[in-house]
Amino acid sequence: MTTDDAYPPRAADQGGGEDGPGGVDGPRGVDGPRGVDGRGTPVGRRLVLGMLAAGAAGIAAGPVLQRAYDSTLGAAAQNDPTGLSGLLPAGGGFRYYSVTGSVPHKNERTYRLTVDGLVRRPTSYRLTDLRRLPQTRIVHDVQCVTGWRVPGTPFEGVRLATLLDAAGVSPRAKAVRFTCFDGAYSESLTLAQARRRDVLVALRMQDKPLGHDHGGPVRLYVAPMYFYKSAKWLSGITVTDRVEPGFWENRGYDVDAWVGRSNGRDDAPTS
Amino acid sequence: MPRPADRTGEPTAGDTAPARIPRFTRAERQVHRATATLLTLCILTAACLYLPFLAELVGRRALLVTVHEWSGILLPVPLLLGLASRALRADLTRLNRYGPHDRRWLHSTLRRRRTGRPSGKFNAGQKLYAAWLAGAVLVMTATGLLMWFTHLAPVIWRTGATFVHDWLALAVIIAVAGHVWMAFGDPEARRGMRTGSVDAQWARREHPLWAAEARQDRPPETHHPPTGGAGP
């Protein structure tokens, strides 16, 4: 907004339209406001400045307000059968993110998970093969780097370390790269991170088989990191000699995505 | 209100076309169109990033993020360029200043009265909308930049910026929907923004103080070029 202080507020002569042509000030040129327009209190400028002040106050008070919202309405939205609260900002629950236009569906018959790269025994698993391996169930909060958090979410599946051991990792290996059957997404972990006990190849979430929208039938689950590390629609595990940044990491996200210690965020750790 | 006795754009017997009053210059209309396009892009990409059912339908997050960021950051640019236009600057002055008639307009409108609502070129509601949205766009731009360039500011700012950006977005969408709804109900107002001129009767009904001023400002010939000495 610009304002023009050449037109000072004049309280006395604002009777509502009795200003004749030119008024007291005389003509103002072809495009300049005349009559009652362009006179009076600069409420517009005050409103703009007021919005800026309110915005700054909102930034300052935001963390406190967000916590209050999460613990009241946000928590209530978790159990909202209508789903309408999903329209509200940070309305709780998971949000669907896909980097591609459409993602193919995979089932018992069509799904395969390959383990290859710097391993002695490259392997391909079907869903039934994965279900026969020892299953681990862990319960932690899920924290997205965009701010939403879903408390106490159970994931169940095979420890990634189990699959790596079965394949026989070469001594030259330093990292693991993950690829997905959406055709675009990728992720990576160092070998040490990949061997953690809270890193799973997950088959179940919230004690149900993993649905397509949540990355089913199989997704990665990296409990201590922001949720973009937990690649959905997992189809390939490749052992490599160095960390290759994944999809979002090539777009500015941190490779070591510890919750609360990366991406400029200070969320409470999840694991 | 005194009315000159000569031809003033009043449709009279023998007039072939209804009288029209120029309302917006080409520059103003282009600024409006560019701003509307950018804001629409910004809102649509925001919806596809934010609402789960649209996100499932559309996917392509990296592309949507890029379009959202750039349409957002460019949003103030058309108006800033438009400041080169004298007519636009004059209209900003009209939008900025509130006279006693604006208070009367708000008073009547809040009581759902259709009469006793005097307004200049812009009524008090339009003035409030313009200033509120200008402020909101600046706040959205600032908070958006804090979220975009995460390492520029302390972490705690970013949480607050996200909070403000989320909730103000909801308010902006409601306000813009109201703006579109009002325009939807007033074809002549839309014609004014599309062609630049409005029907004189509409102007007298909706913006009486401005219609009177426009009549005094413009010599009648500009509206009715004399053709073959025609006249009543």
Side-chain angles (χ1 to χ4, degrees):
Chain A
M1 298 289 290
T2 60
T3 54
D4 192 339
D5 288 316
Y7 311 123
R10 294 180 306 151
D13 60 353
Q14 307 252 329
E18 85 263 71
D19 272 354
V24 182
D25 294 349
R28 285 207 173 81
V30 285
D31 290 319
R34 296 194 186 182
V36 295
D37 264 3
R39 315 257 180 86
T41 326
V43 176
R45 178 171 51 193
R46 288 176 194 170
L47 188 50
V48 172
L49 295 175
M51 283 297 290
L52 293 179
I59 292 173
V64 176
L65 295 173
Q66 183 69 54
R67 263 195 297 280
Y69 177 80
D70 286 344
S71 59
T72 55
L73 282 174
Q78 294 274 87
N79 301 314
D80 174 12
T82 65
L84 287 178
S85 55
L87 297 171
L88 289 177
F94 288 93
R95 294 187 183 274
Y96 176 96
Y97 295 159
S98 164
V99 299
T100 62
S102 68
V103 181
H105 288 245
K106 298 272 185 181
N107 56 28
E108 300 279 344
R109 198 168 49 77
T110 54
Y111 180 79
R112 292 288 183 284
L113 175 63
T114 57
V115 182
D116 55 18
L118 301 175
V119 294
R120 280 190 291 282
R121 293 176 295 279
T123 323
S124 175
Y125 293 91
R126 291 169 300 173
L127 275 178
T128 46
D129 304 327
L130 290 170
R131 287 200 195 104
R132 261 189 233 120
L133 294 169
Q135 305 290 306
T136 303
R137 183 178 181 274
I138 45 184
V139 183
H140 289 298
D141 291 0
V142 166
Q143 175 72 52
C144 179
V145 74
T146 61
W148 54 263
R149 188 178 182 105
V150 182
T153 308
F155 282 86
E156 195 175 342
V158 185
R159 282 210 181 101
L160 179 56
T162 309
L163 298 182
L164 293 174
D165 290 343
V169 174
S170 146
R172 286 194 296 126
K174 294 278 189 300
V176 185
R177 173 175 168 80
F178 305 93
T179 48
C180 305
F181 63 79
D182 71 347
Y185 204 74
S186 58
E187 256 309 334
S188 60
L189 291 171
T190 66
L191 199 54
Q193 292 164 357
R195 287 191 182 283
R196 281 178 64 112
R197 298 169 60 82
D198 52 6
V199 176
L200 301 182
V201 171
L203 303 167
R204 294 167 68 80
M205 187 185 96
Q206 293 172 329
D207 297 317
K208 295 188 293 267
L210 202 52
H212 179 264
D213 290 348
H214 287 297
V218 176
R219 79 180 296 165
L220 190 64
Y221 174 60
V222 184
M225 296 197 178
Y226 286 106
F227 210 38
Y228 64 87
K229 296 300 282 193
S230 298
K232 301 206 278 191
W233 306 300
L234 182 67
S235 62
I237 298 172
T238 305
V239 180
T240 57
D241 58 0
R242 60 186 175 87
V243 172
E244 294 174 36
F247 183 88
W248 286 119
E249 291 144 23
N250 283 320
R251 290 159 179 79
Y253 285 35
D254 286 349
V255 178
D256 292 323
W258 305 107
V259 172
R261 284 186 281 139
S262 64
N263 293 292
R265 295 186 61 91
D266 66 344
D267 310 283
T270 49
S271 182
Chain B
M1 219 164 299
R3 190 170 287 172
D6 60 0
R7 297 172 59 203
T8 57
E10 195 75 69
T12 53
D15 270 341
T16 48
R20 301 196 65 78
I21 301 180
R23 184 161 170 84
F24 296 115
T25 63
R26 174 189 288 269
E28 289 179 299
R29 284 177 279 143
Q30 282 173 344
V31 166
H32 181 265
R33 188 169 304 167
T35 306
T37 306
L38 288 170
L39 191 54
T40 306
L41 266 179
C42 219
I43 289 174
L44 288 181
T45 49
C48 293
L49 289 167
Y50 216 101
L51 299 177
F53 66 97
L54 283 177
E56 283 168 45
L57 207 63
V58 180
R60 295 186 178 81
R61 291 195 76 78
L63 173 70
L64 289 173
V65 166
T66 307
V67 173
H68 184 75
E69 286 169 343
W70 282 99
S71 57
I73 195 78
L74 291 174
L75 200 46
V77 171
L79 184 62
L80 292 176
L81 292 177
L83 290 178
S85 153
R86 184 175 185 175
L88 189 137
R89 290 199 306 274
D91 277 355
L92 287 182
T93 303
R94 293 174 188 269
L95 286 166
N96 180 30
R97 299 280 173 174
Y98 289 60
H101 58 284
D102 290 313
R103 204 167 307 123
R104 281 215 304 263
W105 188 96
L106 281 176
H107 191 265
S108 297
T109 303
L110 290 175
R111 278 157 193 75
R112 298 182 179 281
R113 279 188 222 135
R114 302 292 302 172
T115 55
R117 303 200 301 174
S119 75
K121 185 166 182 179
F122 304 105
N123 65 43
Q126 293 168 323
K127 292 182 181 185
L128 286 176
Y129 172 78
W132 184 87
L133 194 68
V137 164
L138 291 176
V139 172
M140 291 302 277
T141 310
T143 52
L145 284 171
L146 285 177
M147 293 156 70
W148 189 353
F149 301 102
T150 50
H151 299 289
L152 284 187
V155 169
I156 196 79
W157 284 32
R158 193 181 168 202
T159 312
T162 311
F163 180 81
V164 171
H165 202 81
D166 280 3
W167 284 99
L168 189 54
L170 195 66
V172 165
I173 288 170
I174 291 169
V176 171
H179 175 72
V180 172
W181 176 252
M182 301 296 282
F184 185 76
D186 193 343
E188 191 57 28
R190 291 205 307 277
R191 203 167 294 130
M193 192 44 92
R194 203 172 60 245
T195 67
S197 66
V198 290
D199 175 60
Q201 280 188 340
W202 176 88
R204 274 194 295 277
R205 192 176 66 242
E206 299 291 333
H207 301 277
L209 305 179
W210 173 66
E213 175 198 332
R215 199 160 49 231
Q216 288 154 1
D217 268 3
R218 315 266 166 184
E221 302 84 78
T222 54
H223 302 308
H224 288 266
T227 49

